[in-house]
Amino acid sequence: MEIIDIDHILKLSKLELSEEEKDTYKHQMQNIINWVRKLEELKCDELDILNLEAFTLLREDKLKQGLERDSALMNAPEREKGFFKVPKVIESK
């Protein structure tokens, strides 16, 4: 059983949760860790990594016409010089 320090995680992520939410997320995080542990038990030594085509479920890559710039920007809250204008989220030192 892992010990998850939910308060430390919340501090790092700058989030605030109620005690009930903390319990819920702590339980969910523990379940994720348990599933990862189960995945670690899988024996992948005999897996033919060169023959992964059989596992590929992706669609064929085809070129499609995208939106025109004016259509893409039509509902943008803010735009500048033909681009979306968004608030700065990364601070420089």
Side-chain angles (χ1 to χ4, degrees):
M1 183 92 179
E2 294 286 329
I3 298 174
I4 297 174
D5 187 349
I6 193 77
D7 291 318
H8 183 66
I9 294 169
L10 292 174
K11 182 180 175 185
L12 293 174
S13 62
K14 298 180 181 178
L15 293 173
E16 293 181 16
L17 298 176
S18 68
E19 289 303 316
E20 183 179 344
E21 290 170 324
K22 286 180 186 181
D23 288 341
T24 299
Y25 290 116
K26 185 175 179 177
H27 179 72
Q28 290 177 353
M29 293 169 74
Q30 188 61 55
N31 284 341
I32 291 169
I33 290 171
N34 291 341
W35 277 107
V36 170
R37 289 274 158 78
K38 286 218 177 256
L39 290 173
E40 289 175 345
E41 295 173 8
L42 292 175
K43 296 178 182 177
C44 299
D45 297 345
E46 298 175 13
L47 182 63
D48 183 3
I49 60 170
L50 299 178
N51 190 18
L52 291 178
E53 188 174 311
F55 300 104
T56 302
L57 301 174
L58 302 175
R59 65 171 167 72
E60 185 178 343
D61 197 15
K62 293 181 181 175
L63 181 63
K64 291 183 178 178
Q65 179 66 38
L67 288 174
E68 296 293 327
R69 180 182 295 213
D70 289 339
S71 295
L73 292 169
M74 185 171 57
N75 294 323
E78 290 188 57
R79 62 190 98 154
E80 184 176 298
K81 298 178 183 175
F83 295 97
F84 291 96
K85 185 175 180 182
V86 296
K88 185 176 183 179
V89 293
I90 299 174
E91 299 290 331
S92 60
K93 291 183 179 180

